[in-house]
Amino acid sequence: MLKPILIHPDPRLKKTCAPVADLTDELRKLAADMLETMYDAPGIGLAAPQIGVLDRLIVMDCVKEGDPEPVIMFNPEVLASSDDTNVYEEGCLSIPDQYAEVTRPAEVRVGWIDENGNPQEKDFDGLWATCVQHEIDHLNGKLFIDYLGPMKRQTMTRKSAKLKRERARA
Ligand code: K1U
Ligand code: ZN
């Protein structure tokens, strides 16, 4: 089932999300709905707070061509980050049609609980590394525009607020 994606500014996008304690069928269904919503948007990632759920859950698929590689992460954590960095022009489904360059560690080791309740650990690089850091930021109430200077951030926030008002009227 498709879920509506919150548009910035929204107080729920600024909250720190709570760890998931028990993996229930309800949470698995939520993850499946998030993947469906992400593919439909379309996007390469989605975090639970973007659909108004303040749980530590993200989904991703950064494969551009070929077979899809959906990933579901409960309680994801960056365990280690490289010193070398990567600049990527990021977007956000909660700040539609706006993009800006963000510098982040080029490689990260991430730990998480998968949909079967098993702990996982993996090194990510390239777009996967950028995306997983972007999504984990969402769980800590941080948006990619928070890495920008105040003028650029304000301009992008105003544009997003205008789009949000227009969508509410439509
Ligand atoms: O979390 C989100 O808002 C999703 C976001 C993830 C992301 C994009 C770029 C860099 C880091 C994280 C998006 O998916 S924005 C849409 C997008 O990038 C895209 C859409 C269609 C095809 C390819 C990319
Ligand atoms: Zn985002």
Side-chain angles (χ1 to χ4, degrees):
M1 188 197 290
L2 291 179
K3 302 282 185 178
I5 297 175
L6 301 181
I7 302 299
H8 168 69
D10 187 297
R12 288 165 286 182
L13 294 170
K14 302 307 296 175
K15 298 266 195 265
T16 300
C17 297
V20 170
D22 291 311
L23 246 187
T24 58
D25 285 345
E26 195 186 347
L27 280 167
R28 286 189 191 95
K29 168 78 168 78
L30 177 66
D33 287 346
M34 283 172 58
L35 277 171
E36 189 185 346
T37 303
M38 179 194 81
Y39 286 124
D40 178 73
I44 56 171
L46 190 69
Q50 292 181 277
I51 56 162
V53 175
L54 300 182
D55 287 337
R56 298 190 82 82
L57 164 61
I58 65 173
V59 298
M60 295 188 298
D61 188 345
C62 297
V63 171
K64 284 181 180 158
E65 282 168 16
D67 292 343
E69 275 182 38
V71 178
I72 296 169
M73 295 183 172
F74 294 95
N75 301 338
E77 255 187 281
V78 174
L79 304 173
S81 307
S82 63
D83 290 334
D84 57 317
T85 55
N86 198 13
V87 181
Y88 194 87
E89 186 158 68
E90 296 193 16
C92 182
L93 296 174
S94 296
I95 310 175
D97 307 324
Q98 300 197 69
Y99 303 88
E101 287 191 344
V102 177
T103 304
R104 298 181 187 271
E107 293 109 37
V108 284
R109 176 161 299 163
V110 178
W112 74 95
I113 305 295
D114 71 15
E115 58 274 28
N116 302 312
N118 297 319
Q120 301 285 347
E121 204 175 297
K122 189 175 167 180
D123 293 335
F124 292 93
D125 61 11
L127 183 55
W128 283 96
T130 297
C131 189
V132 74
Q133 291 174 82
H134 176 116
E135 301 309 332
I136 291 174
D137 274 353
H138 272 302
L139 305 182
N140 295 322
K142 189 163 183 171
L143 300 173
F144 81 98
I145 57 170
D146 295 326
Y147 291 94
L148 310 178
M151 295 293 286
K152 207 163 179 188
R153 186 166 60 244
Q154 198 178 64
T155 304
M156 291 176 83
T157 295
R158 283 186 180 147
K159 260 193 185 173
S160 188
K162 183 165 177 274
L163 181 94
K164 189 175 170 175
R165 284 196 301 275
E166 286 165 358
R167 283 193 181 178
R169 274 202 298 270

